Each structure stands twice: as structure tokens, then as C-alpha cells.
Amino acid sequence: MNFTLKIWRQKNAKEKGHFETYEVKNISPDTSFLEMMDILNEQLVGECIDPVSFSKGCKEKHSGPVSFDHDCREGICGACSLFINGRAHGPESAVTTCQLYMRKFKDGSTITIEPWRSRGFPIIKDLVVDRRAYDKILQAGGYVNVNTGGVPDANAIPIKKENAEESMDAAACVGCGACAATCKNGSAMLFVAARVSSLALLPQGKIEGARRAKAMVAKMDELGFGACTNTRACEMECPKGITVGHIARLNREFLSAKLKD
């Protein structure tokens, strides 16, 4: 399979970015999207080395290898955050970019690849964005304080099966940022809601529930993420299928905390 790639290139956060066009050929349909990016970078590295002197010096038509984020490549870490043909993580549903395969694209097609477009995720270089804002939101309250001591019995705190399952569904969020990048308002509500909801459903998380909801929403606003207007675009593009029902729970937790104040 052959493809034309239009990739966003940006040297750093301060300089203006632009699209550059590349060609990749003879790509197997079973090649993952990130493997295809690896093949492209090997091609670009080869073009940056003089075959006579072996000295490095990229040709004027290219800016060297493309920088992009990746880690586990198993759909667990959420690092592979790419906007592909106008969709977060590409045309496949319920997958991260590393789980996307080139057979999902037509042979000879043009693929446009961009970084996350969100005020909360400033570009570092090329397709790499700074997603530490999510870490800061978690640090504001996405945890449970407990006293250390002996390990409690597994059945010491009974939890309804439906609550446990819904909590685990919310905890499946990998914090990739697709929700904020997809939302027209740049809202991180689905991410915050997933974190709040996963703890609000459990007895261990109820003690600090009011403080958690207020603190995480306040930090989200402080970091420049937009407001939720229930377009549900985040739900459609979430690779883990987190639903907006968790946003409803976050709103209830937040309003309840404010009423208590």
C-alpha cells in the first residue's frame, strides 16, 4: 500500500508550524499506524545522511525525523495522541493510535496527521504536545487518602456489583486527551468526570468526594480547558468508551458540594 502523508511540523512551541508532505510506499496492510510512522522516520533519517561522508545534514525539503509520542503500544498508556484525518486516534472507533492498522485506509489515499489541538495541551514539537495538565488535575484530587496499616480483608467493605463495574469502566480512562482535543470547547470534563466517578461510586472515595469534585474542576478551569456543552463528541472519540453519564455524576457531585458550602 502507498500513502501520501501531510504531517504537521513545528520546531518548538514558539515557532509557527506548517504541513509537510511525504510519500511512503510498499506498506503492509497489517502494519500499525505507529509502525508506519517508524518506517517514514527511517526513510527521513536516510535522507539526512550523506552516503559518501556519512555526515548528518537534512536536505532542505525535509525537517528531519517526525517527533511523535508513544510508549506501550498496547492501548494502555494513551501516549500515542494523534489527530488523523480530522479524528482523534483516526477512523477506527474504540482504539488508540497504536491499535490502528493501515488496512483501515484506502491504498493511495492522503492522510493528514496533526497534534492535539487544545489550549490545555501546548505543542512541544511536531506531533508532541504537553499533556501534563491532566497530571495536575489528578494531583488536585484524583486520589484517596488512607491510613496505612494491615491489609484489610477483601470482603470487609461490601460494594454492589453494578457500582463496582461502573467504577471500573470509569477507571479504564487512559488520560490520552482525545476528549479535550475533540471537543469544540476544548473541555476536559470527560477525563475529570471519569476520575471523579470511579471514586465516587466506591465507599473509600465518598469521604473526600466533595473536596475532590471542587478541586479537580477548579484546576481544570485554571489550566485553560473549556466548558462542557453536552455535544458528546468526547464520548464518540474516547478510545475506552467512557460515557457522558459520568459527566452527569460529576455535575451532581460538584453541585452537592457547593450546596453543602
Side-chain angles (χ1 to χ4, degrees):
M1 300 179 75
N2 302 325
F3 301 99
T4 300
L5 308 177
K6 290 181 64 178
I7 302 178
W8 184 260
R9 305 302 306 268
Q10 188 167 334
K11 190 173 182 180
N12 53 55
K14 295 182 180 179
E15 294 198 16
K16 187 176 181 180
H18 62 281
F19 281 103
E20 286 191 10
T21 303
Y22 307 94
E23 303 286 339
V24 287
K25 298 182 179 180
N26 301 319
I27 302 296
S28 168
D30 297 324
T31 300
S32 75
F33 197 88
L34 294 190
E35 288 171 340
M36 182 275 296
M37 294 293 292
D38 291 335
I39 292 170
L40 170 65
N41 276 345
E42 289 177 4
Q43 176 181 312
L44 294 178
V45 168
E47 292 178 357
C48 288
I49 299 178
D50 189 309
V52 178
S53 64
F54 293 99
S55 60
K56 293 184 178 181
C58 293
K59 296 181 179 180
E60 292 183 0
K61 65 176 181 177
H62 294 316
S63 305
V66 179
S67 296
F68 63 96
D69 261 333
H70 60 93
D71 191 3
C72 71
R73 300 202 177 196
E74 294 178 349
I76 298 171
C77 68
C80 52
S81 308
L82 297 179
F83 220 68
I84 303 166
N85 285 348
R87 289 190 63 181
H89 296 301
E92 185 73 282
S93 297
V95 299
T96 51
T97 303
C98 61
Q99 296 172 304
L100 178 66
Y101 290 88
M102 299 312 296
R103 55 179 173 265
K104 293 298 296 184
F105 301 90
K106 291 183 178 180
D107 186 19
S109 63
T110 298
I111 305 173
T112 302
I113 310 169
E114 303 172 76
W116 282 168
R117 303 291 192 182
S118 173
R119 182 181 175 187
F121 301 138
I123 293 176
I124 297 175
K125 182 179 181 181
D126 293 342
L127 304 174
V128 181
V129 298
D130 186 347
R131 294 187 297 130
R132 287 180 295 176
Y134 273 12
D135 295 330
K136 293 176 182 178
I137 293 173
L138 282 178
Q139 290 165 5
Y143 52 85
V144 174
N145 285 310
V146 294
N147 294 323
T148 58
V151 179
D153 184 81
N155 297 319
I157 304 176
I159 300 172
K160 291 182 179 180
K161 183 176 185 293
E162 55 268 27
N163 286 358
E165 289 182 347
E166 193 171 359
S167 175
M168 288 299 292
D169 288 344
C173 170
V174 293
C176 67
C179 49
T182 298
C183 177
K184 67 176 184 178
N185 306 319
S187 174
M189 279 289 279
L190 192 65
F191 167 76
V192 177
R195 297 308 187 186
V196 169
S197 189
S198 67
L199 295 173
L201 285 160
L202 304 177
Q204 298 93 325
K206 291 186 181 299
I207 299 172
E208 300 169 293
R211 182 198 61 80
R212 178 182 303 111
K214 291 187 296 182
M216 294 182 74
V217 169
K219 180 59 70 172
M220 176 185 68
D221 293 339
E222 176 191 325
L223 293 170
F225 291 100
C228 175
T229 52
N230 292 311
T231 62
R232 302 183 71 174
C234 55
E235 179 182 82
M236 295 296 295
E237 299 296 350
C238 176
K240 297 301 178 181
I242 309 295
T243 70
V244 294
H246 295 292
I247 294 180
R249 179 171 290 105
L250 168 60
N251 288 334
R252 290 195 296 270
E253 291 284 317
F254 182 79
L255 290 173
S256 176
K258 287 294 185 180
L259 287 172
K260 289 178 182 178
D261 289 345

